[in-house]
Amino acid sequence: MTQRYDADRPHEQFDRPRRHTRPRTKERPSYDDADDGWVVGIDRGRYTLLVGQDERVVTAMKSRPLGRKAVVVGDRVRVVGDTSGTPDTLARIVEVEDRTTLLRRTADDNDPIERVIVANADQMVVVAALADPPPRPRLIDRCLVAAFDAGMTPLVCLTKADIGDPAPLVASLLPLEVDVVVTERGGDLEMVRERLRGRTSVLVGHSGVGKSTLVNALVPEAELTTGVINEVSRRGRHTSTSTRVLALPFGGWIVDTPGIRSFGLAHVSVERLLAAFPDLADAAVDCPRGCQHTEADPECALDDAVAAGTLDAARVDSFRRLLASRDSAD
């Protein structure tokens, strides 16, 4: 049958039939039968989970309804599909539970985009070498700022005490009331084990500080590659390439992360950092509006409290050192 041409409706003959799509609904599935899972590794869009009371290893993908919402190592999730853990099966992550902590950083201090390192860890272990490569106190401070911002307990682990003196760094951290453990090559790690036992700890540090060596000593089956120090820059090479969770044989978990070159803190405000120091926050209530609590701020109540003897001067100086660390990585 030939379609007639109508001069009054010249384009009608070219109209395509409309597709009949199913109407959208605002109702969402409840996933009442979903299993609880814990994200312990991510590799190219595939998530490794521990699922159920028996902590079976399950591979999953993120479901489309989650959209662009990030799923990160440490997330507690709800998962459906084949959660048997049988090889070559794939489940789906359909929900991400509320996070208790969230460790973040930016690429640099001018980058507004936050990068999540790990969720739901309760302790950050800042691993720093005392020599070979030399310590970077400002980077340690920046990691501490991130830990306080995330609501995590910080622990500083100083390695290679057999070739470096820990006393100056330990003294600089005392006013911040941060726990410090000191290790040496082939030495006893019982103090480290005691502070990791029963906790979920994320290890951070720049390359070459002995983080992989420490992990191998704590979890022998981890078999992480250890790196060497560049003879020119005196900095380490990356050995860990992805973030993953490892079970500690004496109880607890560690989250091993790749070595970092910098720790951007564009996301951390003065108020959030101050909140991690309740004694200073109480004194700062009397600060004038807009006070940034630095030495340059006139009439800062922290200075008044030091003069009155209600705050320790070394603690205020150390807090201000952390504030200053946000402006410089080294």
Side-chain angles (χ1 to χ4, degrees):
M1 180 177 178
T2 304
Q3 184 175 2
R4 292 187 58 187
Y5 176 77
D6 189 337
D8 295 329
R9 294 182 295 175
H11 300 293
E12 186 176 285
Q13 60 180 322
F14 303 110
D15 286 349
R16 294 180 179 177
R18 295 182 179 181
R19 293 185 300 174
H20 296 283
T21 58
R22 190 167 56 184
R24 293 184 178 182
T25 174
K26 293 183 178 180
E27 295 182 3
R28 294 291 183 266
S30 62
Y31 299 121
D32 290 335
D33 58 344
D35 291 322
D36 294 323
W38 186 32
V39 181
V40 296
I42 302 174
D43 182 20
R44 291 169 293 185
R46 292 292 183 263
Y47 301 84
T48 301
L49 315 178
L50 298 183
V51 176
Q53 296 294 327
D54 56 347
E55 294 183 343
R56 58 191 179 275
V57 179
V58 173
T59 302
M61 61 180 291
K62 186 174 68 172
S63 66
R64 183 172 296 179
L66 286 178
R68 302 184 66 179
K69 182 174 184 178
V71 178
V72 302
V73 169
D75 268 330
R76 301 287 179 174
V77 297
R78 301 275 288 165
V79 59
V80 300
D82 193 332
T83 61
S84 64
T86 305
D88 300 324
T89 58
L90 190 64
R92 285 186 301 122
I93 297 172
V94 293
E95 291 179 357
V96 178
E97 304 285 353
D98 291 340
R99 294 156 171 166
T100 57
T101 63
L102 193 62
L103 179 60
R104 304 167 294 168
R105 74 181 180 99
T106 53
D108 57 55
D109 293 332
N110 297 316
D111 185 357
I113 300 176
E114 299 175 6
R115 290 158 176 81
V116 178
I117 299 175
V118 66
N120 300 318
D122 58 273
Q123 180 171 243
M124 177 201 278
V125 182
V126 184
V127 184
L130 293 164
D132 195 29
R136 297 169 62 187
R138 192 61 67 106
L139 181 59
I140 296 173
D141 286 348
R142 291 168 74 85
C143 291
L144 294 178
V145 170
F148 289 131
D149 174 71
M152 299 166 60
T153 301
L155 171 68
V156 177
C157 178
L158 302 178
T159 64
K160 306 183 184 180
D162 49 314
I163 56 174
D165 182 10
L169 268 179
V170 172
S172 71
L173 294 170
L174 282 177
L176 295 173
E177 300 178 0
V178 173
D179 282 345
V180 180
V181 290
V182 180
T183 68
E184 60 182 46
R185 292 168 177 167
D188 184 16
L189 295 177
E190 186 53 36
M191 290 184 63
V192 178
R193 293 188 183 95
E194 183 61 30
R195 283 162 174 78
L196 299 181
R197 186 174 289 114
R199 310 191 70 160
T200 300
S201 305
V202 54
L203 274 60
V204 298
H206 65 88
S207 300
V209 298
K211 187 161 58 68
S212 294
T213 300
L214 179 64
V215 172
N216 285 338
L218 295 170
V219 190
E221 61 269 25
E223 298 179 351
L224 298 183
T225 303
T226 56
V228 295
I229 305 302
N230 185 292
E231 292 298 332
V232 176
S233 67
R234 302 309 301 165
R235 293 188 176 183
R237 300 174 184 171
H238 293 279
T239 52
S240 298
T241 58
S242 62
T243 301
R244 64 171 179 166
V245 180
L246 300 168
L248 293 168
F250 47 88
W253 303 84
I254 55 173
V255 185
D256 183 46
T257 64
I260 56 173
R261 295 291 188 191
S262 63
F263 212 112
L265 298 173
H267 61 287
V268 181
S269 66
V270 174
E271 291 75 18
R272 288 178 66 91
L273 179 57
L274 183 64
F277 299 86
D279 54 335
L280 304 189
D282 289 343
V285 170
D286 296 325
C287 284
R289 183 185 299 272
C291 181
Q292 297 296 298
H293 315 300
T294 68
E295 292 182 359
D297 282 280
E299 302 178 0
C300 178
L302 297 183
D303 294 318
D304 295 338
V306 170
T310 57
L311 279 182
D312 179 56
R315 183 163 169 82
V316 173
D317 289 343
S318 296
F319 168 74
R320 285 173 169 166
R321 189 185 77 223
L322 293 186
L323 282 178
S325 74
R326 300 179 310 152
D327 302 321
S328 175
D330 293 308

